[in-house]
Amino acid sequence: MKRYRSKIGIMWIIAIGIIIWCNYVMLKLVTWQFNDLGMWLTLFILIPVDVLFVICTFWTYYEFHEDYLKIRNGYFFHEDIPYLDIRSFKETHNPVGSCGLSLDRIDIIYKAQKGRNGNSEVLISPVKKQEFIQELERRSRIFMTK
């Protein structure tokens, strides 16, 4: 098993900075205008959102297993893609929401899983992108020749 962490891009860092700033402004506004109950209610809403962003930042990774690629994005996305089901993959800078924390991504198209029809698509952003692509090519080729 070989694990690749997700690259963290500048857009992700800016998004987290904006969220923290908005949380600070909202907390100051609520504390100034309302009582302590308003502050606590705000904290119970803001802290879980912040925790989810932290979880996404540190629990996003991609693992090569014997016969499948495991893609994990925090609590939100978990998919095991058999190498045999991978139709194609290419480098992209598509800004669509995905399991990649950077815009320097790989677009993987694969046979839909869990009883769905057609193809599915996932965008990932491993730290060592070229090394990841070479490993994915090697493993996909092995399963295509079997």
Side-chain angles (χ1 to χ4, degrees):
M1 173 184 70
K2 188 166 187 176
R3 180 182 283 193
Y4 288 83
R5 291 247 169 248
S6 181
K7 183 186 295 185
I8 299 173
I10 189 70
M11 294 304 287
W12 185 258
I13 293 169
I14 289 171
I16 289 176
I18 290 172
I19 288 170
I20 290 170
W21 179 78
C22 288
N23 290 348
Y24 173 76
V25 169
M26 188 175 292
L27 192 58
K28 287 297 237 181
L29 181 67
V30 167
T31 305
W32 179 67
Q33 285 188 344
F34 301 105
N35 58 11
D36 287 339
L37 178 64
M39 180 188 74
W40 287 109
L41 286 175
T42 304
L43 283 175
F44 282 122
I45 293 169
L46 299 178
I47 288 175
V49 171
D50 294 343
V51 168
L52 288 175
F53 269 92
V54 169
I55 288 171
C56 278
T57 302
F58 294 108
W59 285 2
T60 300
Y61 60 85
Y62 323 107
E63 287 179 343
F64 285 106
H65 289 264
E66 188 67 32
D67 55 349
Y68 64 93
L69 172 65
K70 178 179 184 174
I71 298 175
R72 176 83 183 198
N73 184 307
Y75 286 124
F76 303 111
F77 186 84
H78 176 255
E79 188 84 62
D80 295 336
I81 304 170
Y83 300 120
L84 192 58
D85 291 347
I86 295 176
R87 306 285 190 235
S88 67
F89 52 90
K90 64 182 178 185
E91 293 184 55
T92 184
H93 294 282
N94 190 341
V96 173
S98 71
C99 297
L101 305 180
S102 168
L103 291 178
D104 189 18
R105 299 175 172 174
I106 300 171
D107 182 8
I108 300 175
I109 298 174
Y110 58 98
K111 181 181 173 194
Q113 307 291 310
K114 301 173 186 166
R116 297 178 295 218
N117 294 324
N119 292 326
S120 291
E121 181 178 18
V122 65
L123 297 165
I124 62 173
S125 60
V127 171
K128 299 176 182 174
K129 189 166 81 169
Q130 293 307 319
E131 181 181 316
F132 183 92
I133 289 172
Q134 289 172 354
E135 184 71 18
L136 186 57
E137 283 176 342
R138 186 182 70 77
R139 289 178 185 255
S140 297
R141 224 177 297 123
I142 289 171
F143 279 89
M144 287 181 185
T145 58
K146 286 186 178 180

